[in-house]
Amino acid sequence: MFYVRTSILPDSPCVVLRGTPSEASSQSLTGRVLFRLGHSLKVKRITVAFQTTGSSKQQLQSRTANSQVQIEQVLFDASSLSNGYAVWKSNCYGSDSSRYEFPFTFVIAGHMHESVNTSFGNVCYELKVNIQTCGFGINTWSESLRLPVFRIPKEGTPHALRLTDPLRMQADWLGAVELQVLRDTASVADNSKMRTLVVIRPLQKGLQLTDVGLRLSETVCHKTATDRFGDPQSYHKVVSERLKTIGDSITGLSSLPLSQEHSLTLSLPIPKAFSGVQYTMDTPRISIVHELVLTATVIDRDHTPHYLRISSHVRIVPKLALEDTFTELPPYYSASFDRLLLGSSEEQLDQPPSFSSLPPPSYGFAASTCNISLA
């Protein structure tokens, strides 16, 4: 059986750029390409390229910048040989020489546009390998692998610190009902579940609660494309939503009297990035905003329904961005006082130690890193 099996094995499943395009530094993309053959092959040239994928109509165009990217690296070139090719043996011989492996390294610029997939166009990247052979039949073989480019805030910047800000929404409807939405953070990773605590607090008597719902929406705005009125083109879609009907299973009523505070934990599934949702971003070409909406239906004493709604912006970010928000404690570097215990005699070890006589441990740069304010 004649085949060329190519495996593209990057060391990382994605490219991570840290910081804004003006402050992000270049990142190295390393990996290897592995070839397996079903028959001996005469190989002339092998290249690997990091490039944008898709047609020009599908790509997100800009008036000021070109979105086309192509960085090529030559892995093998037999042009210097006398016959212009090299003979590769197939795996059927069972020798180590039947496996052909080539490493590659690319330098990805920090100002590169991150991956996005919208109705206005997309920015997608891939690793593509081309192998040129000589002989009859097909003389060019290719294999590609999609590789997304993420951009996360640079550690220590205000943008990175805002990722851990809690989400607190609160609204008072005519002094009758108070709505609250509580979350540990206003940022959520894609391909996860967004668990949110919803609190309905009555401020007057005689009200009934029919349903409570959560909805996550996405608004994409193309800044460089305008409609007939001169406004930037945009579109809006619902990413995920959940509606919980409130009822009394004992009485069989479809509503519940608001005689006390009600707390509900609702969970919204967040789809995978580039398929059902995009990352929150704001670039010179495109901006993507996500909004979390709480809805509730309340019936007053006159049996008139009222549809309440409060909303707040949230951020959809890569999981890596949330993992990078944790910082390490200062290192403990002084071990000189440990000899007080390790060097004690057996008689002293039988007695309970006096911790009040031990000096405290010393931490590096503790005076500059631990600031406590009691005001």
Side-chain angles (χ1 to χ4, degrees):
M1 180 179 180
F2 182 77
Y3 64 85
V4 177
R5 184 174 299 169
T6 307
S7 300
I8 305 175
L9 306 174
D11 294 335
S12 175
C14 61
V15 177
V16 180
L17 303 176
R18 301 176 183 272
T20 61
S22 60
E23 65 183 8
S25 58
S26 301
Q27 298 294 324
S28 296
L29 173 61
T30 59
R32 54 197 174 96
V33 180
L34 181 64
F35 296 96
R36 293 182 178 90
L37 308 179
H39 194 274
S40 297
L41 196 64
K42 299 177 180 179
V43 182
K44 299 174 58 177
R45 181 182 173 89
I46 300 175
T47 60
V48 59
F50 177 80
Q51 60 186 20
T52 52
T53 180
S55 63
S56 58
K57 294 182 178 180
Q58 295 174 338
Q59 293 177 1
L60 185 64
Q61 300 296 327
S62 173
R63 296 178 181 176
T64 59
N66 190 2
S67 59
Q68 295 282 349
V69 174
Q70 186 175 20
I71 311 173
E72 189 177 72
Q73 180 180 346
V74 179
L75 300 180
F76 178 80
D77 190 2
S79 59
S80 59
L81 301 179
S82 58
N83 49 9
Y85 63 86
V87 179
W88 286 8
K89 297 180 180 180
S90 64
N91 292 67
C92 61
Y93 293 100
S95 61
D96 294 338
S97 60
S98 60
R99 293 185 58 183
Y100 300 90
E101 183 175 332
F102 300 90
F104 63 84
T105 301
F106 291 105
V107 178
I108 309 302
H111 59 79
M112 186 172 295
H113 199 290
E114 54 264 46
S115 300
V116 66
N117 184 15
T118 67
S119 61
F120 297 122
N122 57 60
V123 178
C124 301
Y125 301 95
E126 67 176 0
L127 286 170
K128 188 173 183 179
V129 175
N130 290 321
I131 175 171
Q132 297 179 7
T133 63
C134 60
F136 298 99
I138 302 176
N139 292 327
T140 302
W141 304 79
S142 63
E143 185 71 25
S144 61
L145 175 69
R146 287 288 183 93
L147 198 72
V149 176
F150 300 151
R151 185 177 298 279
I152 64 177
K154 196 173 183 179
E155 187 176 359
T157 59
H159 190 191
L161 298 176
R162 284 197 297 268
L163 293 178
T164 58
D165 290 344
L167 175 62
R168 298 289 186 269
M169 283 194 299
Q170 182 174 343
D172 184 351
W173 176 66
L174 300 178
V177 177
E178 184 181 273
L179 305 179
Q180 278 188 343
V181 177
L182 306 175
R183 263 186 57 83
D184 294 337
T185 173
S187 303
V188 60
D190 64 307
N191 197 20
S192 65
K193 289 188 176 182
M194 186 178 186
R195 293 179 175 85
T196 307
L197 177 62
V198 177
V199 179
I200 311 295
R201 183 178 295 111
L203 304 179
Q204 294 181 5
K205 296 182 179 180
L207 302 177
Q208 294 182 353
L209 181 64
T210 300
D211 56 55
V212 177
L214 273 181
R215 182 173 67 251
L216 178 66
S217 62
E218 178 181 87
T219 302
V220 180
C221 178
H222 197 339
K223 301 179 181 179
T224 59
T226 58
D227 55 18
R228 58 177 182 172
F229 301 105
D231 299 326
Q233 293 184 5
S234 63
Y235 77 89
H236 179 87
K237 75 171 184 178
V238 177
V239 176
S240 180
E241 63 180 339
R242 182 182 177 184
L243 181 65
K244 184 175 181 60
T245 303
I246 307 298
D248 194 341
S249 59
I250 299 178
T251 60
L253 298 177
S254 59
S255 60
L256 189 66
L258 272 176
S259 57
Q260 60 183 1
E261 178 182 296
H262 296 278
S263 299
L264 304 172
T265 301
L266 301 181
S267 179
L268 286 179
I270 307 300
K272 191 176 181 179
F274 313 125
S275 57
V277 70
Q278 306 298 314
Y279 290 129
T280 303
M281 66 175 61
D282 187 11
T283 68
R285 281 180 282 177
I286 192 171
S287 66
I288 302 177
V289 179
H290 297 91
E291 186 180 29
L292 182 64
V293 181
L294 169 65
T295 60
T297 303
V298 176
I299 301 178
D300 59 14
R301 297 179 180 178
D302 299 330
H303 303 286
T304 302
H306 300 273
Y307 305 98
L308 312 184
R309 178 186 182 275
I310 60 174
S311 63
S312 177
H313 287 169
V314 295
R315 291 177 288 271
I316 307 297
V317 297
K319 186 178 180 180
L320 183 62
L322 298 180
E323 293 175 350
D324 281 1
T325 56
F326 298 98
T327 58
E328 297 181 357
L329 291 175
Y332 174 64
Y333 69 92
S334 178
S336 58
F337 298 112
D338 293 346
R339 300 174 183 175
L340 296 174
L341 292 179
L342 299 178
S344 301
S345 62
E346 296 181 359
E347 296 180 357
Q348 293 176 343
L349 292 176
D350 294 337
Q351 300 176 0
S354 177
F355 295 99
S356 60
S357 62
L358 298 178
S362 178
Y363 291 88
F365 308 101
S368 60
T369 56
C370 301
N371 298 322
I372 301 176
S373 177
L374 300 179

